[in-house]
């Protein structure tokens, strides 16, 4: 490779501090008052009303201009593919939510229609999602456990579960928590709370979804083995469930296990075939739907339930049900779960939506997405749906089959199924993508170990504390890592690259040279209360100055001066002034004698990485400057940090200090 040509240049200008720059650039002093801001925000006009309408109902802006010739066929193929995939997934995920499968069909229809009208992402597939479903299942089984619906059967002389009454109550609970979560999302969207997604980093989301996938898998093992473990809730409930499943494995229903194994193997083989033929097939083979149809026919013809005790879902009613007002009396019991669902559902949807938006060059409005999902869930709650988000697997299918706009998600129909073990197998196979996320760990270890720590901690917290509490704990841990990174920054002494105005750390570059008599000190983080003391200690270690000792000596001198002033208070003002000056000079002589000639004549604090300073940070700067002020620095920072001692670049500060040193002054400045 040819060596890059070095361009030479010369700049002739005066040394610039911030005060001079403000004067030269004529900084504006005018600020908009709060009253004016309020008036501007409530002002109404025709263009503003139109813009507000188009932003609130995005379908109005793009549907009239929809290019049928360009996107019609791709959206049709994509919609059919995703629809065929969504239906069995919706009914399977209904089992995770502990409601009858038909309500998974409802959740795959009404919320999708609402999002089509109000959503801004063109590629995400909104509908049932495993993580959300298992969170809802935790709520429904907690508020409507089997033990509340036990009745005595005179024929068998045993207690049986009134499944009809139980399912009705669980649907009421699911609808209530869904409506409330939707209202939370709408409220957060209206107050412009979309920025909350910034706290959901990619390692956190991927670690969280992987941990939640383990919860999903464990919850479906009972259908795979045909056993009936007791429902556990609260922290560490996953471990209790796994232990009980291991205890009940000897009671496995062989027929159910065989059905599960055969279904899983068939699905894996069919999906591999789909992957091999993906370039040749315009539409992927609907493997889940085919497996469900075959399993339903076999179950019906062989009567697996009666002969081998294989659990079946039962008959799924056809048609749509009229809207029902959710039970507001349940809101108080599910408010915490609803908020967790609102945040989790939004975080997953906006993360995936932004990935596709970046790839295809369009914008996803984070606040509008909150409102769209909120309307989808709140309206869905009236139609007895459970909370939805977006599925990564369906979204990838929608993209790969040519889907280009929201129209693709509207080409969907409905079917029905019968068998629980088959639905569990579908869930297992569809979660294999999340299991591949374990490969993130070695990749993050090589690229960013803090992100790897966030991934692992989120995964463990989600496993131990369940998806709802695990999310809150994971966000807290992620924010702690930010605090620790600012508390433990990297401190460097900078030197100059010869014949340039560029300054780099001395310990990282061989050709960087130290500026004679000047110490240039940089912290990689901002200066605030959490790291102010460490900043001062690091500066002392790098400069060789015992800052604490100097400050202590200065305080003693100040105390001595005050005592002397009190003793001489009755004397004449001239004599008082003379004696005071003599005391200060005597103290200065003491410090001058203790001063090491090898210490820097000037200290430059490079604060370019700092994006704010709190009162503790400013006090630290005053303390640091006070040390040098004791050595006759000229009195900077005595009252406040002024712009005359702030320079635009390190090089400006160096030139100024060199000029001061030439005049036999020791100074401390900031950049």
């Amino acid at each position: 490779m040819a060596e890059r040509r070095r361009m030479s240049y010369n700049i002739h200008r005066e040394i610039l501090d911030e005060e001079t720059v403000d004067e030269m650039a004529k900084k504006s002093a005018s600020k908009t008052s709060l009253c004016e801001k309020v008036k501007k925000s409530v002002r109404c006009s025709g263009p503003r009303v139109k813009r507000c309408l188009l932003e609130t109902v995005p379908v109005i802006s793009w549907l009239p201009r929809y290019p049928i010739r360009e996107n019609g066929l791709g959206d049709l193929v994509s919609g059919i593919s995703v629809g065929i995939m969504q239906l069995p997934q919706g009914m399977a995920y209904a089992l995770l939510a502990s409601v009858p499968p038909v309500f998974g069909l409802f959740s795959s229809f009404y919320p999708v229609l609402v999002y089509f009208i109000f959503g801004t992402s063109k590629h995400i597939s909104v509908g049932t999602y495993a993580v959300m479903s298992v969170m809802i299942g935790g709520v429904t089984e907690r508020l409507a456990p089997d033990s509340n619906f036990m009745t005595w059967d005179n024929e068998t002389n045993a207690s049986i579960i009134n499944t009809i009454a139980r399912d009705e109550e669980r649907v009421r609970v699911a609808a209530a928590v869904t409506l409330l979560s939707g209202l939370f999302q709408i409220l957060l969207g209206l107050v412009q709370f979309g920025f909350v997604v910034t706290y959901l980093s990619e390692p956190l989301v991927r670690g969280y979804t992987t941990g939640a996938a383990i919860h999903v898998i464990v919850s479906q093992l009972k259908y795979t083995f045909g056993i009936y473990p007791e429902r556990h809730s609260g922290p560490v409930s996953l471990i209790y469930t796994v232990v009980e499943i291991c205890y009940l494995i000897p009671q496995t229903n062989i027929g159910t296990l065989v059905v599960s194994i055969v279904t899983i193997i068939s699905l894996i083989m069919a999906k591999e075939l789909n992957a091999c033929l993906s370039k040749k097939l315009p539409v992927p083979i609907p493997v889940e739907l085919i497996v469900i149809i075959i399993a339903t026919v076999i179950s019906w013809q062989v009567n697996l339930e009666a002969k081998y005790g294989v659990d079946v879902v039962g008959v799924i009613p056809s048609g749509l049900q009229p809207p029902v007002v959710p039970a507001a009396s349940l809101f108080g019991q599910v408010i915490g779960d609803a908020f967790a669902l609102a945040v989790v559902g939004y975080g997953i949807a906006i993360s995936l939506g932004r990935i596709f938006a970046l790839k295809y060059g369009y914008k996803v409005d984070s606040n509008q997405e909150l409102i769209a999902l909120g309307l989808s869930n709140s309206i869905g709650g009236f139609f007895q749906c459970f909370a939805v988000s977006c599925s990564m697997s369906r979204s990838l299918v929608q993209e790969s089959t040519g889907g280009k706009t929201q129209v693709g998600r509207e080409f969907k129909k409905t079917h029905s199924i019968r068998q629980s073990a088959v639905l569990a197998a579908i869930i297992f196979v569809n979660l294999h993508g999340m299991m591949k996320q374990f490969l993130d760990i070695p990749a993050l270890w090589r690229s960013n170990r803090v992100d790897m720590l966030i991934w692992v901690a989120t995964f463990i917290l989600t496993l131990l504390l369940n998806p709802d509490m695990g999310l809150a704990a994971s966000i807290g841990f992620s924010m702690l890592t930010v605090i620790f990174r600012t508390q433990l920054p990297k401190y460097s002494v900078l030197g100059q690259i010869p014949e340039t105005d560029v300054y780099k750390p001395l310990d990282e570059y061989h050709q960087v040279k130290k500026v004679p008599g000047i110490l240039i000190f940089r912290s990689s983080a901002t200066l605030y209360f959490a790291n102010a003391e460490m900043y001062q200690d690091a500066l002392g270690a790098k400069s060789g100055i015992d800052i604490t000792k100097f400050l202590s000596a200065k305080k003693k001198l100040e105390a001595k001066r005050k005592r002397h002033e009190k003793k001489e208070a009755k004397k004449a003002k001239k004599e008082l002034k003379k004696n005071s000056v003599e005391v200060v000079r005597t103290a200065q002589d003491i410090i001058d004698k203790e001063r090491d000639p090898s210490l820097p004549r000037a200290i430059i604090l490079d604060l370019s990485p700092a994006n704010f300073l709190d009162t503790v940070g400013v006090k630290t700067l005053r303390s640091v400057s006070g040390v040098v002020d004791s050595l006759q620095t000229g009195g900077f920072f005595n009252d406040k940090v002024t712009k005359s001692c702030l320079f635009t670049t390190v090089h400006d500060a160096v030139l100024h200090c060199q000029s001061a040193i030439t005049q036999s002054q020791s100074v401390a400045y900031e950049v």
Side-chain angles (χ1 to χ4, degrees), residues 21-22 91 100 110 137 174 185 238 240-241 313 316 333 340 373 407 423 478-479 522 538 553 559 585 619 647 652 661:
V21 170
D22 286 350
M91 290 180 282
Y110 293 109
Q185 289 173 327
L238 182 75
Y240 291 133
T241 303
V313 172
I316 295 179
Q333 303 177 62
L373 283 172
V407 172
L423 295 179
S478 179
M479 296 180 71
R522 174 191 287 173
R585 285 177 179 172
K619 287 180 180 178
F647 293 89
D652 281 304
I661 291 172

Side-chain angles (χ1 to χ4, degrees), residues 368-604:
Q368 181 61 27
E369 285 296 292
L370 262 173
I371 295 174
L373 283 172
L375 290 171
S376 298
N377 284 322
S378 56
I379 294 175
F382 286 95
F383 290 93
Q384 300 178 311
C385 302
F386 53 87
V388 299
S389 183
C390 82
S391 166
M392 182 178 297
S393 59
R394 292 197 308 269
S395 298
L396 291 174
V397 168
Q398 179 165 319
E399 179 210 16
S400 61
T401 52
K404 298 179 180 178
T405 69
Q406 292 95 316
V407 172
R409 63 175 60 97
E410 292 308 301
F411 295 107
K412 299 176 183 176
K413 304 296 179 183
T414 57
H415 291 280
S416 63
I417 65 166
R418 282 182 63 93
Q419 210 153 305
S420 302
V422 174
L423 295 179
I426 291 173
I427 293 171
F428 291 150
V429 175
N430 282 323
L431 289 176
H432 80 283
M434 289 189 185
M435 295 300 101
K436 290 182 179 179
Q437 292 179 163
F438 279 110
L439 299 176
D440 291 350
I441 297 177
L444 290 173
W445 174 265
R446 293 189 296 269
S447 60
N448 190 315
R449 295 184 182 180
V450 175
D451 282 347
M452 186 214 69
L453 184 62
I454 292 173
W455 195 106
V456 174
T458 301
F459 175 76
I460 294 174
L461 290 171
T462 305
L463 287 185
L464 297 180
L465 302 179
N466 294 342
D468 47 0
M469 296 174 60
L471 178 66
S474 301
I475 293 175
F477 180 82
S478 179
M479 296 180 71
L480 278 177
T481 62
V482 177
I483 294 174
F484 282 129
R485 276 188 271 191
T486 58
Q487 270 194 305
L488 303 172
K490 181 179 180 181
Y491 298 108
S492 306
V493 174
L494 305 185
Q496 185 180 19
I497 299 177
E499 301 180 4
T500 71
D501 58 356
V502 179
Y503 296 81
K504 292 293 183 180
L506 288 169
D507 57 353
E508 295 182 11
Y509 297 86
H510 297 296
Q511 296 300 319
V512 171
K513 305 299 180 182
K514 186 176 181 179
V515 181
I518 299 175
L519 176 76
I520 308 172
F521 182 74
R522 174 191 287 173
S523 170
S524 62
T526 192
L527 178 60
Y528 72 120
F529 70 93
N531 61 12
E533 185 176 351
M534 288 180 285
Y535 183 91
Q536 184 171 305
D537 293 341
L539 175 59
K542 297 287 186 181
S543 64
I545 300 174
D546 190 338
I547 295 177
T548 304
K549 179 180 177 181
F550 271 85
L551 291 177
S552 178
K554 186 179 180 183
K555 288 181 180 179
K556 289 179 181 179
L557 291 172
E558 185 69 20
K560 186 175 181 180
R561 185 184 65 81
K562 289 182 179 180
R563 287 195 303 269
H564 182 78
E565 286 179 349
K566 288 181 180 180
K567 289 181 181 180
E568 303 295 327
K570 295 180 180 181
K571 294 184 178 181
K573 292 183 179 181
K574 291 183 179 180
E575 188 177 356
L576 173 62
K577 182 178 180 182
K578 179 181 178 182
N579 291 337
S580 298
V581 172
E582 288 177 356
V583 171
V584 173
R585 285 177 179 172
T586 302
Q588 184 61 47
D589 291 339
I590 295 173
I591 296 178
D592 286 339
K593 291 178 181 179
E594 295 180 351
R595 186 179 184 277
D596 187 346
S598 65
L599 296 178
R601 300 290 304 279
I603 299 175
I604 297 173

Side-chain angles (χ1 to χ4, degrees), residues 289-339:
L289 189 59
I290 293 173
V291 167
I292 285 173
I293 293 172
I294 294 174
T296 303
V297 172
I298 293 175
S299 176
W300 171 49
Q301 292 294 327
V302 181
N303 197 6
L304 294 176
E305 182 181 18
K307 290 184 178 180
Y308 302 103
V310 177
D311 283 343
V312 297
V313 172
V315 177
I316 295 179
S318 59
L320 300 175
Q321 294 185 350
V324 177
V325 178
S329 59
L330 295 171
F331 286 175
Q333 303 177 62
V334 300
I335 186 169
D337 304 283
F339 187 79

Side-chain angles (χ1 to χ4, degrees), residues 96-98 133-143 231 233 337:
L96 297 178
S98 297
S133 300
V134 78
M135 292 176 67
I136 294 171
V139 182
T140 56
E141 293 191 13
R142 186 185 77 238
L143 298 182
R231 170 73 184 183
S233 60
D337 304 283

Side-chain angles (χ1 to χ4, degrees), residues 575-645:
E575 188 177 356
L576 173 62
K577 182 178 180 182
K578 179 181 178 182
N579 291 337
S580 298
V581 172
E582 288 177 356
V583 171
V584 173
R585 285 177 179 172
T586 302
Q588 184 61 47
D589 291 339
I590 295 173
I591 296 178
D592 286 339
K593 291 178 181 179
E594 295 180 351
R595 186 179 184 277
D596 187 346
S598 65
L599 296 178
R601 300 290 304 279
I603 299 175
I604 297 173
L605 305 180
D606 181 5
L607 297 179
S608 54
N611 51 11
F612 70 92
L613 282 175
D614 63 359
T615 55
V616 178
V618 173
K619 287 180 180 178
T620 301
L621 293 178
R622 288 177 180 172
S623 298
V624 171
S625 68
V627 173
V628 190
D629 182 48
S630 299
L631 303 176
Q632 297 297 312
T633 62
F636 290 111
F637 302 104
N638 282 343
D639 298 320
K640 60 182 179 179
V641 178
T642 61
K643 291 185 178 181
S644 61
C645 51

